[in-house]
Amino acid sequence: MDTNKKKILVVRFRQMGDAILTTPLLNTIRKSFPDARIDFVLNERLASLFKGHPAISNIITFTDEERHNTLTYIKKVRNTVKSTRYDAIIDMRSTPNTMLFALFSPGTPLRIGIRKPYTQGVFNHRMEACSDDENMIDHNLSLAAPLNIWGQLDLQRDLSLAISDEEKQQFRQKMEQAGIDFAKPVMLVGVTAKLRDKTWPDEYMAQTVKHLIKEYPGLQLIFNYAPDKEEENARRMYGQLGNPENIFINLTAQSPRELAAMAANCDAYFGNEGGTRHIVHAMGKPSLVICSPLASKKTWLPTATSIVARGISASDILPTKGLTPVEQYRLITPAHVLPQLRQFIADTLRL
């Protein structure tokens, strides 16, 4: 049988950043087996972001309601694997819920998952879990290793999304209408985050942005935030800074796909690490982020890719053993960030 005709199911739930970090794996499979059918399982709210992606044949979505209704979830998982005779199932999470895809498909030749106490007997290829010293892209690509029996893999490392030129142009016009001057550099700034334990202190961010405004008067900053609490924090900071005209507080994306179109029209990203940074990277833009103490910089910051992706973490400054996330964040002062931010701007924006 032609290996290009293989049918492969990739299961990846969780958040936006996790899903985007899957694209090197999807691209590797597509590059290695151009005619393969690659089905991608993810949360329904993220599906639009991956519409038209050349590495994905079909997007199979689960709503939050389906995932939290046990009988509905089990029935849909079973129907998914029974309706298609998959040659490989790659379960990137390997939780008791996700491993049902492999459990209901014992005839699938390659059932690939993570080595955990309860996964023995379900997967016939159990890969090691990602360690704090391993990059997530390397880990995700390791899950494709069993596919080598079909032919040599052509590893792809870059993140990618398929946003059309028309979508980018439409958002560019929106940015121009908001007052953006594309003759000057534009930086997307993640000033806040959903969880406080994953947010650099607001006062530190405000001090840093204040320096940016003073030192780079031609730099245009777009404050990025989600609705509700994030928007409240961003607008408070904007007011504390004196409502500067080179900060754009009302220019917002209404969906992850619009956020990608916005990122495509920006020159760089600075701010808190998270899903937005992964979108920025996938759109080919450089980034400098403040890394959460709850996540290893080595793991979550893409390395060995063609796009500049730099990060600052508390462990770069002092040993953090025994410190709370808040205490670790407070080690990363503006005095530590500004020199690296200035260098990042010099390297990427040539200012």
Side-chain angles (χ1 to χ4, degrees), residues 172 175 180-189 218-222 248 251 259-270 277 279-281 283-288 307-309 341 344-351:
R172 185 181 182 90
M175 293 169 73
I180 293 289
D181 178 0
F182 283 103
K184 301 176 182 178
V186 182
M187 178 179 283
L188 188 61
V189 184
L219 181 61
Q220 300 165 104
L221 307 179
I222 300 175
F248 293 80
L251 182 54
L259 181 57
M262 178 194 286
N265 284 291
C266 292
D267 298 297
Y269 174 86
F270 165 71
R277 197 218 65 79
I279 283 183
V280 169
H281 190 112
M283 299 314 297
K285 304 299 180 177
S287 59
L288 173 67
I307 309 303
V308 173
L341 182 54
F344 172 73
I345 290 173
D347 292 342
T348 60
L349 302 182
R350 304 294 189 266
L351 296 179

Side-chain angles (χ1 to χ4, degrees), residues 23-24 27 137 156-160 281 304-307:
T23 58
N27 292 333
I137 290 178
Q156 307 293 304
R157 300 190 57 83
D158 281 337
L159 309 182
S160 63
H281 190 112
T305 69
S306 61
I307 309 303

Side-chain angles (χ1 to χ4, degrees), residues 32 37 61 80 128-129 139 172 194 198 211 281-282 327:
S32 304
R37 170 174 165 176
T61 65
T80 297
E128 295 301 323
H139 168 72
R172 185 181 182 90
K194 182 179 180 180
K198 291 188 175 182
H211 278 281
H281 190 112
E327 290 171 335

Side-chain angles (χ1 to χ4, degrees), residues 180 186-192 202 205-210 212-213 220-226 230-244 246-253 259 262 266 269-270 276:
I180 293 289
V186 182
M187 178 179 283
L188 188 61
V189 184
V191 293
T192 186
D202 291 346
M205 180 62 77
Q207 291 174 36
T208 303
V209 172
K210 186 175 182 179
L212 277 180
I213 295 170
Q220 300 165 104
L221 307 179
I222 300 175
F223 274 14
N224 179 64
Y225 52 82
E230 286 188 41
E231 179 174 359
E232 179 183 325
N233 292 339
R235 290 189 179 278
R236 182 187 307 113
M237 188 181 302
Y238 177 66
Q240 291 171 347
L241 291 167
N243 305 335
N246 58 336
I247 291 181
F248 293 80
I249 190 70
N250 294 315
L251 182 54
T252 59
L259 181 57
M262 178 194 286
C266 292
Y269 174 86
F270 165 71
T276 297

